[in-house]
């Protein structure tokens, strides 16, 4: 009798796990309480696995030998708690995929910068000729790639939700970009629980492995003082030079790892802003550890194009620049966006609040923001937070209205910045949908 694999959630992660489970000979059942997209329905039908949508058939689910849970489903959900109480293992798709791959895993987590850093590392490794996949929160799931391609190594962007379901998986190179309050609604409003979740990235690391982290992040540093991990440590900082890791000297980024060093002028980095220097440092250390030549690293860091929906310049209309930063779904991401603005800003923000505290944005908003366009179903918290700091605040409930209002409020030489600091689910399918609508409406002007 084949072992029974139940997968909760039929998005890319769940369907990827189904592909791998089917290949491994499991009796696979996929259950999604929501609607399954046509693309994934067709794929599940082609696999000839049992699946359901808009419901969870409890008796079918409780017959599992193993459950792979979508990162979007909280552990506190009654069904998941019942599975745990019955002793049925509940793991993440990343954990499941890792059990069936011997590839080297370069894993990136953090509240911000995960996607840029992951894509940058992948770009450098591809240029360096490595057989490397990009997985996790970007593109195709790790499980799907392990089933269909199995690369020699992977760059995996991992969220805290995925880390929560990680037990035996090991990152050969673990990268922690930063930790700022995010998803606190999922962690009982407790920041320390979220911090603990992020540090699961170093779980199971040995003396052979590397942990690359931001030394300037006070939350990371607090934990580093008590961390008992075995991995080799490679910090990065903007506060000077380091004997091992990445730092700054005379406006040059300097990276040192055993028997190797690299330096590059900050002026030559393709990605601008302090946060992108951090991302470039983390990527540079990783690439050196993977034995990529210095000239290849330099070439990639000097012409990397950046990530869609992250400070993406869209169009300039009558001297007003439109910038899409829809991927900024938390306060810290928006802080970085505002911090690197050099023009007066008409700022479009709002959406589903995840327990946000806007106090860190108040000073920047008072210095840089001419007007705030609140785009959301409930904008009260946003309005109350900024009413004494931004001279003009308007409310809209569609992207079309947001663009028209912002264009009306902006002057020649201004930037209209979509940097929501919130999740997108009140008015949009996801942050990509929100960013795409922003670009479409801006280009209509």
């Amino acid at each position: 009798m084949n072992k029974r694999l139940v997968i909760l959630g039929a998005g890319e992660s769940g369907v990827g796990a189904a592909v791998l489970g089917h290949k491994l000979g499991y009796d696979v059942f996929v259950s999604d309480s929501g609607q399954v997209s046509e693309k994934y329905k067709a794929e599940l039908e082609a696999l000839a696995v049992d699946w359901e949508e808009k419901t969870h058939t409890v008796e079918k689910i409780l017959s599992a030998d193993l459950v792979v849970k979508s990162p979007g489903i909280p552990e506190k959900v009654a069904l998941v708690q019942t599975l745990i109480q019955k002793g049925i293992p509940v793991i993440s798709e990343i954990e499941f995929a890792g059990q069936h791959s011997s590839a080297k895993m370069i894993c990136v987590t953090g509240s911000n910068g995960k996607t840029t850093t992951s894509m940058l590392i992948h770009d450098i490794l591809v240029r360096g000729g490595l057989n490397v996949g990009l997985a996790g929160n970007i593109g195709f799931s790790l499980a799907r790639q392990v089933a269909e391609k199995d690369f020699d190594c992977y760059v995996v962007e991992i969220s805290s939700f995925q880390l929560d379901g990680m037990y035996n998986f090991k990152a050969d190179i673990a990268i922690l970009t930063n930790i700022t309050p995010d998803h606190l609604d999922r962690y009982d409003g407790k920041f320390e629980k979220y911090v603990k979740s992020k540090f699961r990235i170093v779980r199971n690391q040995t003396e052979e492995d590397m942990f690359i982290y931001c030394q300037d992040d006070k939350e990371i540093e607090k934990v580093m003082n008590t961390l008992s991990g075995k991995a080799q440590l490679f910090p990065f900082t903007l506060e000077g030079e380091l004997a091992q890791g990445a730092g700054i000297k005379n406006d040059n980024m300097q990276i040192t790892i055993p028997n190797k060093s690299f330096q590059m002028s900050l002026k030559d980095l393709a990605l601008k802003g302090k946060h992108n220097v951090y991302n470039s440092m983390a990527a540079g250390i990783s690439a050196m550890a993977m034995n990529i030549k210095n000239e290849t690293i330099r070439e990639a860091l000097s012409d990397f194009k950046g990530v869609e929906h992250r400070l993406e310049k869209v169009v300039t209309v009558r001297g007003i620049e439109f910038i899409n930063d829809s991927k900024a779904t938390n306060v810290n991401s928006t802080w970085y966006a505002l911090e690197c603005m050099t023009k007066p800003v008409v700022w479009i923000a709002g959406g589903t609040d995840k327990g946000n505290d806007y106090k860190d944005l108040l000073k920047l908003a008072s210095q840089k923001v001419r007007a705030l366009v609140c785009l959301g179903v409930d904008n009260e918290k946003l309005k109350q937070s900024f009413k004494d700091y931004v001279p003009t605040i308007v409310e809209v409930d569609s992207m079309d209205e947001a663009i028209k209002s912002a264009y009306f409020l902006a002057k020649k030489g201004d930037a209209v910045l979509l940097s929501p600091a919130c999740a997108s689910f009140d008015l949009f399918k996801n942050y990509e949908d929100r960013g795409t609508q922003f670009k479409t409406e801006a280009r209509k002007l």
Side-chain angles (χ1 to χ4, degrees):
M1 176 86 175
N2 290 357
K3 278 194 162 183
R4 184 161 172 78
L5 171 67
V6 169
I7 297 161
L8 299 179
E12 174 56 33
S13 165
V15 175
V19 170
L20 179 57
H22 180 259
K23 184 180 180 182
L24 294 167
Y26 279 92
D27 169 24
V28 178
F29 174 55
V30 181
S31 178
D32 196 313
S33 62
Q35 188 155 1
V36 180
S37 76
E38 292 304 318
K39 174 176 81 168
Y40 291 132
K41 278 182 190 174
E43 198 169 357
L44 292 169
E45 289 293 340
L47 286 174
V49 302
D50 191 12
W51 64 276
E52 65 181 359
E53 64 179 346
K54 299 181 188 169
T55 188
H56 285 316
T57 306
V58 175
E59 56 272 23
K60 280 188 168 188
I61 292 166
L62 294 181
S63 68
D65 294 300
L66 175 67
V67 173
V68 171
K69 176 179 76 65
S70 158
I73 302 170
E75 197 172 278
K76 58 185 89 158
V77 165
L79 178 59
V80 177
Q81 284 300 309
T82 304
L83 286 162
I84 292 166
Q85 283 155 17
K86 286 190 169 292
I88 299 167
V90 180
I91 62 173
S92 67
E93 169 258 325
I94 298 280
E95 174 80 7
F96 181 54
Q99 291 171 3
H100 301 286
S101 174
S102 56
K104 196 169 180 103
M105 299 288 176
I106 302 164
C107 300
V108 185
T109 197
S111 303
N112 300 294
K114 293 189 292 291
T115 303
T116 302
T117 302
S118 299
M119 290 181 75
L120 192 46
I121 295 168
H122 181 254
D123 183 60
I124 300 171
L125 301 188
V126 167
R127 292 181 198 225
L130 299 190
N131 175 33
V132 54
L134 180 64
N137 274 358
I138 316 174
F140 295 115
S141 62
L142 182 61
R144 179 191 295 280
Q145 293 183 65
V146 167
E148 294 177 350
K149 298 191 177 78
D150 212 11
F151 292 93
D152 298 333
C153 63
Y154 288 96
V155 181
V156 192
E157 182 192 322
I158 309 187
S159 71
S160 58
F161 300 164
Q162 288 163 318
L163 288 169
D164 290 336
M166 176 179 136
Y167 301 97
N168 298 308
F169 181 92
K170 178 171 80 72
D172 298 283
I173 298 175
I175 299 156
L176 181 52
T177 57
N178 51 39
I179 305 180
T180 58
D182 196 8
H183 304 297
L184 296 191
D185 50 338
R186 183 81 170 249
Y187 293 99
D188 306 321
K190 292 181 178 155
F191 183 42
E192 60 274 20
K193 281 192 174 182
Y194 175 64
V195 171
K196 206 170 174 185
S197 176
K198 284 295 185 195
F199 266 90
R200 286 176 77 97
I201 190 94
V202 298
R203 191 184 176 100
N204 306 317
Q205 282 199 305
T206 69
E207 297 87 349
E208 302 291 304
D209 304 316
M210 293 176 69
F211 179 37
I212 300 166
Y213 63 95
C214 182
Q215 185 175 287
D216 299 344
D217 187 293
K218 62 181 189 294
E219 298 303 333
I220 294 177
E221 274 302 284
K222 271 188 218 165
V223 178
M224 292 308 296
N225 292 331
T226 59
L227 193 70
S228 56
K230 297 175 183 168
Q232 302 165 56
L233 303 179
F234 294 87
F236 52 90
T237 178
L238 300 183
E239 305 293 325
E241 51 188 316
L242 296 175
Q244 180 161 287
I248 303 285
K249 185 181 181 184
N250 302 331
D251 287 331
N252 283 324
M253 176 172 79
Q254 289 197 321
I255 304 177
T256 306
I257 71 170
N259 307 315
K260 289 181 192 173
S261 63
F262 171 86
Q263 65 175 25
M264 180 173 178
S265 169
L266 296 178
K267 294 188 192 76
D268 294 336
L269 293 175
L271 300 177
K272 302 303 179 190
K274 271 198 271 194
H275 58 299
N276 278 320
V277 177
Y278 285 135
N279 297 338
S280 299
M281 285 174 162
I285 299 169
S286 308
M288 288 171 73
M290 294 297 289
N291 297 313
I292 303 297
K293 291 177 183 167
N294 280 5
E295 50 267 39
T296 305
I297 298 171
R298 185 171 286 107
E299 177 191 281
L301 294 181
S302 64
D303 68 10
F304 182 70
K305 292 292 180 282
V307 176
E308 190 181 12
H309 309 298
R310 167 66 81 221
L311 289 171
E312 178 190 11
K313 292 180 179 177
V314 177
V315 69
T316 300
V317 183
R318 294 189 183 152
I320 299 164
E321 186 175 29
F322 287 78
I323 300 169
N324 169 27
D325 194 41
S326 182
K327 202 168 189 309
T329 59
N330 60 43
V331 168
N332 194 243
S333 285
T334 295
W335 186 92
Y336 281 126
L338 289 172
E339 189 259 341
C340 67
M341 288 293 125
T342 53
K343 303 173 175 182
V345 175
V346 175
W347 173 32
I348 303 173
T352 306
D353 187 291
K354 298 183 285 184
N356 287 356
D357 181 348
Y358 294 110
K359 71 175 187 301
D360 289 345
L361 298 179
L362 299 178
K363 186 178 175 189
L364 277 172
S366 68
Q367 292 167 345
K368 302 195 176 198
V369 177
R370 183 191 299 289
L372 169 59
V373 178
C374 301
L375 172 61
V377 171
D378 179 5
N379 301 307
E380 208 48 45
K381 187 171 171 185
L382 207 54
K383 289 192 304 183
Q384 288 303 316
S385 298
F386 292 97
K387 66 181 182 185
D388 297 328
Y389 297 87
V390 176
T392 305
I393 298 179
V394 299
E395 280 191 272
V396 296
D397 59 10
S398 72
M399 189 59 78
D400 167 44
E401 273 188 274
I403 292 290
K404 284 176 180 162
S405 298
Y407 185 50
F408 174 74
L409 291 164
K411 298 178 178 174
K412 187 175 181 180
D414 287 0
V416 170
L417 170 70
L418 170 69
S419 190
C422 296
S424 54
F425 307 120
D426 58 344
L427 294 172
F428 306 95
K429 284 187 228 150
N430 47 41
Y431 77 80
E432 291 100 333
D433 175 37
R434 177 169 61 190
T436 301
Q437 287 195 34
F438 175 85
K439 293 194 281 187
T440 302
E441 296 301 330
R443 286 171 179 146
K444 284 182 187 172
L445 291 171

